[in-house]
Amino acid sequence: MAAAARWLDDDAPSHERFLLFVDEFDPHEPFDTPEPYASLYDPDWRGPHLIWPPYVRGALAAGVLSPPEARQVRACYGAKLTMIDAWLGRILDVLDRRGLWDTTAVFLCTDHGHYLGEKDIWGKPPVPVFEPLGHIPLLVAWPGAAGGTIDALTTSVDIAATLADLYGVAWEHRTHGCSLLPLIRGEARTLRDWVLSGVWGREVHLVSERRKYARAPQGKNEPLSLWSNRWSTMPLHSLPELRLPLPDDRARLDRMPGASVPVLRQPFRAADTLPLWAWGAFSGNHLYDLADDPGEERNLAGTAAERDAADALRAALESVEAPHDQFVRLGLE
């Protein structure tokens, strides 16, 4: 943050136009901060701060966390948020001092949320992507645009499409993003009817403005393949037993949907050791009416509404040329 603020102050003014990307890993585990942040939201806590939440569903119910410990975990997360906000403020101060708001678009987003006790879920365990994890913030400051709230459905890839639109460049490969400029300029109220989301090897989610459908494997979690041209994805050197399994003699060259460049495709079966983010049992399908049930308390899977949701998910997967594996494992053939 400090380096980014210095660059904005010292170097940005010499450029006719610039693109500054700041990738801030925090807030993230461990939720460790110096004082005064560490004790800011739980000043009566005694002992080491609880900076690692358990990755579990039902932590309070099972006694993994006591109510005071749960409060402490949330307090440590809040402390880290506050610390990062303070450092982000250094960048905003430069924008103020240099008068850059009049000529600079600013996007603030995150990759995902975090469970801190909602539904007694903690960390990022193997559960469907409920709203605390998947409904992420997107803040945009646009020169000349008045402040306000836009309720249109968007997703992270729309930011890249917006930057390409802003700079007048065309993609050389297929993308699924929609430029946000029509929304920002007040020329449109919506851009897309749905987005797809999920964690590799787990449920596939179809989210619309009103409804969320999480489809789990219909039986064994297979067939399942991993496409990658960078097989070092998330190595865990400290826990080698959890590292991404190496390709084996089943691997072959294949092409990602919409691409002509070959990548390595490694198939997995249910009995294989899967990458750690695909571990964990499934709890069936989930369907929620987000307008009437924003807390996702009433699962409508198994009702007549699920038939329409499954048809919509199938159509969405077809539109992005999803691999046949997905249709088979999800029972959508």
Side-chain angles (χ1 to χ4, degrees):
M1 290 288 192
R6 285 194 299 271
W7 188 90
L8 276 175
D9 222 358
D10 300 335
D11 296 332
S14 63
H15 294 275
E16 182 178 350
R17 61 181 186 173
F18 64 85
L19 173 65
L20 173 64
F21 178 77
V22 182
D23 183 5
E24 174 52 62
F25 186 71
D26 282 326
H28 197 281
E29 305 97 329
F31 303 152
D32 53 337
T33 56
E35 297 291 356
Y37 301 106
S39 301
L40 193 59
Y41 298 113
D42 196 7
D44 295 330
W45 176 260
R46 297 293 178 266
H49 291 290
L50 301 186
I51 59 176
W52 282 97
Y55 270 46
V56 65
R57 183 171 192 170
L60 284 168
V64 176
L65 287 175
S66 67
E69 289 170 335
R71 183 174 61 249
Q72 165 65 191
V73 169
R74 285 192 291 267
C76 290
Y77 183 75
K80 201 152 210 185
L81 282 176
T82 301
M83 185 184 74
I84 297 304
D85 281 351
W87 282 96
L88 175 62
R90 298 195 177 198
I91 294 177
L92 303 184
D93 288 343
V94 176
L95 293 172
D96 289 340
R97 185 168 61 254
R98 288 287 185 176
L100 292 174
W101 294 106
D102 295 334
T103 57
T104 307
V106 180
F107 295 81
L108 180 65
C109 66
T110 186
D111 54 349
H112 55 73
H114 205 95
Y115 296 116
L116 292 166
E118 301 86 356
K119 300 178 182 293
D120 201 8
I121 304 174
W122 299 83
K124 292 168 285 185
V127 299
V129 179
F130 294 112
E131 290 292 273
L133 191 74
H135 192 170
I136 59 177
L138 172 60
L139 304 177
V140 180
W142 194 266
T149 300
I150 299 175
D151 293 329
L153 183 66
T154 63
T155 186
S156 298
V157 293
D158 295 338
I159 299 176
T162 306
L163 293 175
D165 192 4
L166 176 62
Y167 282 92
V169 298
W171 294 105
E172 295 182 356
H173 58 276
R174 182 179 180 180
T175 69
H176 299 130
C178 299
S179 173
L180 300 172
L181 294 191
L183 291 177
I184 295 170
R185 293 168 175 166
E187 300 164 356
R189 297 183 61 185
T190 61
L191 292 177
R192 52 171 70 245
D193 296 324
W194 50 263
V195 299
L196 289 166
S197 68
V199 176
W200 182 89
R202 298 201 54 80
E203 300 91 346
V204 176
H205 303 69
L206 181 70
V207 183
S208 65
E209 290 189 355
R210 183 182 183 100
R211 184 174 62 186
K212 177 189 292 180
Y213 182 44
R215 180 93 175 185
Q218 305 300 289
K220 293 182 179 179
N221 192 14
E222 62 180 27
L224 185 63
S225 293
L226 180 64
W227 282 257
S228 179
N229 59 3
R230 189 170 63 90
W231 211 256
S232 60
T233 305
M234 195 178 285
L236 296 177
H237 303 292
S238 59
L239 296 170
E241 69 275 14
L242 298 183
R243 295 183 65 184
L244 180 66
L246 292 175
D248 57 31
D249 57 6
R250 296 171 295 177
R252 63 184 176 87
L253 287 180
D254 205 339
R255 286 170 171 79
M256 295 289 285
S260 60
V261 178
V263 296
L264 193 64
R265 175 183 180 181
Q266 171 65 47
F268 293 95
R269 298 193 66 84
D272 293 337
T273 298
L274 295 175
L276 72 94
W277 51 86
W279 289 8
F282 295 91
S283 56
N285 300 338
H286 291 253
L287 176 61
Y288 300 103
D289 186 326
L290 299 176
D292 292 338
D293 180 24
E296 299 169 290
E297 300 292 341
R298 300 186 297 275
N299 185 3
L300 303 178
T303 69
E306 185 176 7
R307 186 179 303 110
D308 292 339
D311 289 342
L313 175 58
R314 183 185 300 107
L317 291 173
E318 290 172 349
S319 73
V320 298
E321 301 178 26
H324 184 64
D325 286 12
Q326 289 286 19
F327 297 91
V328 176
R329 69 185 280 269
L330 297 176
L332 291 174
E333 286 185 292

